[in-house]
Amino acid sequence: MPSENNFHMTPEEFRRRGHEVVDWLAEYFQRIESFPVLSRVEPGQIHASLPANPPAEGEPFEAMLKDVEKLILPGITHWQSPNFFAYFPCNNSGASILGDLLSSGLGVQGMLWATSPACTELETHMLDWLVQMLDLPQKFLSSDTGGGVIQDTASSASLCALLAARERATNFASNKRGCDGRLVAYTSTQAHSSIEKAVQIAGLGRDNLRLITVDEKFAMRPDALAQRIQQDRQDGLIPCFVCATVGTTSSNALDPVAEIGHICREQTIWLHVDAAMSGTAALCPEFRHIHNGLEFADSYCFNPHKWMFTNFDCDCFYVADRKALIQTLSVLPEYLRNKATETGAVIDYRDWQIPLGRRFRSLKLWFVIRHYGVQGLQHHVREHVRLAQQFAEWVKQDAEFELAAPVPLNLVCFRHKGGDQINQDLMDRLTRSGDLYLTHTRLNDRLTLRFCVGQTNTQARHVERAWRRIQEETARVGSGTESTIS
């Protein structure tokens, strides 16, 4: 129960309860494979299980933790399960969780350098470390013209990049008068939906987003991009932004950044490169080809919270010219004025993002990098890619299945040759079994299964078992029998 004097937890109680929570989490990770990967609750079930009214008096901590087990856990889809192969991973690690715990405990609001210098300077340093670790262009270093900042997600990074592109194209006039309907943005038909949302929020409008066709590998066609830019200029429009994707969500396609970059450089168009999941692969020298052409980019982002064992949320966003971004997003009311800011010698990250407030996210990134070291991170990335490539080989060797797209890294897009319905039935059966979780996409207008290897504790045995279960359920689908697994 809370303290009799002020209702707060005492330091002694916090210590005791904190140990209980860590113990619960450690036990959860030990038994995570015993749960069905996808939650089986019905819509409204969790809501109906909770009390209709808030408690008038504080309740024992034991009751809260008990209800997490009883009421919340059934409604959890276990993203940290080694049998989670859906979407893209959103993995974490012990080091990251502990760093995040420290961040929560310190409770820093890092909007300004002055509100906690360590929050700002550690973040700047971690983003510079990652420039080295991924061998990114030197212009993204804070010691050069650009620099990096931690956003919540790649969606926010893309929006910030688009806003800066909008202002650069209008000589920073659209912040004053709004958009006039002439600004145009470009991305591929396979790009993330966040680009469509960004053009809505930024005031360009969906009608001014051009979705460029892709080639047989589902990568943007530079010739189609150039033709559309030329047509828009002839129509009196102003091309201002191109988003290239390194690892699309549907198929992990790699847009030809160098060719796209040449076009953007010639046309003076802002190039943003979204490498949300796949960027982590560049920790390994043998995969750094995915960033070929990045020297042409005005901005770049990738998500350590997807494949670098850093829990959500953590997107690393870089710009080549920080002045353009800051001028786009800076608003300085009197109550935020301070001596450090006025000197111009510090970074105020409030000017690098949409919201004013910001968490101390760099602590968890610092803990992860220091715990694993570059070699440890490389080891796990290589192993995940190896396991995905092995899975792809099994698909190719099976007469009933086929690959639906190239497999450059850790995502395998495949399908049964029997058509959409058998693939849908297969995915549904596997999901209902609880043994693994897959999601789908449509490639060449055909339903396609996606198998992504990237969870922290996924090992060879999990991938082998997944392929075995796929074959078992395929046999049942083909024979028309019901699965014996409820």
Side-chain angles (χ1 to χ4, degrees), residues 1-4 7-10 13 16-17 57-62:
M1 292 291 290
S3 165
E4 294 180 2
F7 298 94
H8 297 312
M9 275 190 181
T10 64
E13 184 181 8
R16 184 169 69 256
R17 300 310 186 187
E57 298 180 352
E59 300 180 50
F61 188 82
E62 293 90 341

Side-chain angles (χ1 to χ4, degrees), residues 242-246 257 271-276 291 293-294 297-302:
V242 173
C243 178
T245 308
V246 173
V257 176
L271 173 60
H272 175 62
V273 177
D274 177 2
H291 284 156
L294 200 54
D298 294 283
S299 56
Y300 166 85
C301 74
F302 88 105

Side-chain angles (χ1 to χ4, degrees), residues 19 124 160 219 221 259 293 298 329 408 444 458:
H19 288 164
T124 302
C160 288
R221 287 177 47 199
E259 295 176 65
D298 294 283
L329 297 177
N444 292 327
T458 297

Side-chain angles (χ1 to χ4, degrees), residues 250-268:
S250 279
S251 68
N252 211 8
L254 306 173
D255 286 345
V257 176
E259 295 176 65
I260 294 169
H262 278 293
I263 295 169
C264 291
R265 182 70 59 84
E266 292 170 359
Q267 296 286 334
T268 317

Side-chain angles (χ1 to χ4, degrees), residues 16 42 55 58 68 118 147 191 196 208 244 255 301 307 349 456 479:
R16 184 169 69 256
E42 298 296 327
V68 169
E196 180 180 353
N208 283 342
D255 286 345
C301 74
W307 196 16
Y349 275 130
T456 304
S479 64

Side-chain angles (χ1 to χ4, degrees), residues 420-430 432 477:
D420 283 3
Q421 190 57 56
I422 192 169
N423 283 289
Q424 184 69 59
D425 291 346
L426 176 58
M427 184 173 65
D428 291 344
R429 284 170 176 262
L430 290 165
R432 284 198 305 268
V477 170

Side-chain angles (χ1 to χ4, degrees), residues 79-267:
W79 283 74
Q80 306 311 315
S81 170
N83 297 307
F84 186 100
F85 301 104
Y87 304 109
F88 279 147
C90 189
N91 61 23
N92 67 15
S93 64
S96 178
I97 295 167
L98 294 175
D100 213 29
L101 176 61
L102 276 176
S103 174
S104 296
L106 291 170
V108 165
Q109 211 285 49
M111 57 186 175
L112 302 167
W113 177 90
T115 58
S116 276
C119 180
T120 294
E121 295 192 16
L122 181 64
E123 183 163 336
T124 302
H125 205 72
M126 289 305 96
L127 274 290
D128 283 349
W129 270 9
L130 283 164
V131 170
Q132 299 177 48
M133 292 165 64
L134 274 65
D135 195 26
L136 301 179
Q138 296 295 294
K139 65 184 178 181
F140 290 140
L141 285 170
S142 64
S143 57
D144 208 293
T145 57
V149 59
I150 299 178
Q151 303 278 0
D152 52 4
T153 64
S155 298
S156 292
S158 297
L159 175 57
C160 288
L162 176 59
L163 292 171
R166 183 192 74 184
E167 293 310 303
R168 191 176 75 173
T170 62
N171 197 25
F172 298 91
S174 53
N175 260 347
K176 295 180 180 180
R177 67 172 185 242
C179 293
D180 61 5
R182 298 174 62 210
L183 295 173
V184 185
Y186 306 81
T187 195
S188 87
T189 58
Q190 299 294 303
H192 195 268
S193 60
S194 60
I195 305 302
E196 180 180 353
K197 181 178 285 189
V199 298
Q200 295 176 196
I201 297 171
L204 274 68
R206 283 200 307 263
D207 288 348
N208 283 342
L209 175 63
R210 308 294 189 240
L211 299 180
I212 305 302
T213 56
V214 295
D215 61 20
E216 69 282 357
K217 295 181 179 180
F218 305 103
M220 186 193 296
R221 287 177 47 199
D223 60 329
L225 172 66
Q227 291 170 10
R228 193 58 200 261
I229 290 171
Q230 181 181 12
Q231 182 61 56
D232 284 333
R233 289 202 187 279
Q234 292 174 356
D235 293 341
L237 301 176
I238 304 173
C240 72
F241 176 83
V242 173
C243 178
T245 308
V246 173
T248 59
T249 301
S250 279
S251 68
N252 211 8
L254 306 173
D255 286 345
V257 176
E259 295 176 65
I260 294 169
H262 278 293
I263 295 169
C264 291
R265 182 70 59 84
E266 292 170 359
Q267 296 286 334

Side-chain angles (χ1 to χ4, degrees), residues 393-422:
E393 284 299 315
W394 293 334
V395 171
K396 288 193 288 186
Q397 293 167 13
D398 192 303
E400 294 187 80
F401 287 92
E402 63 183 358
L403 293 177
V407 186
L409 295 169
N410 62 328
L411 175 67
V412 183
C413 292
F414 71 107
R415 57 188 166 224
H416 192 281
K417 296 177 181 178
D420 283 3
Q421 190 57 56
I422 192 169

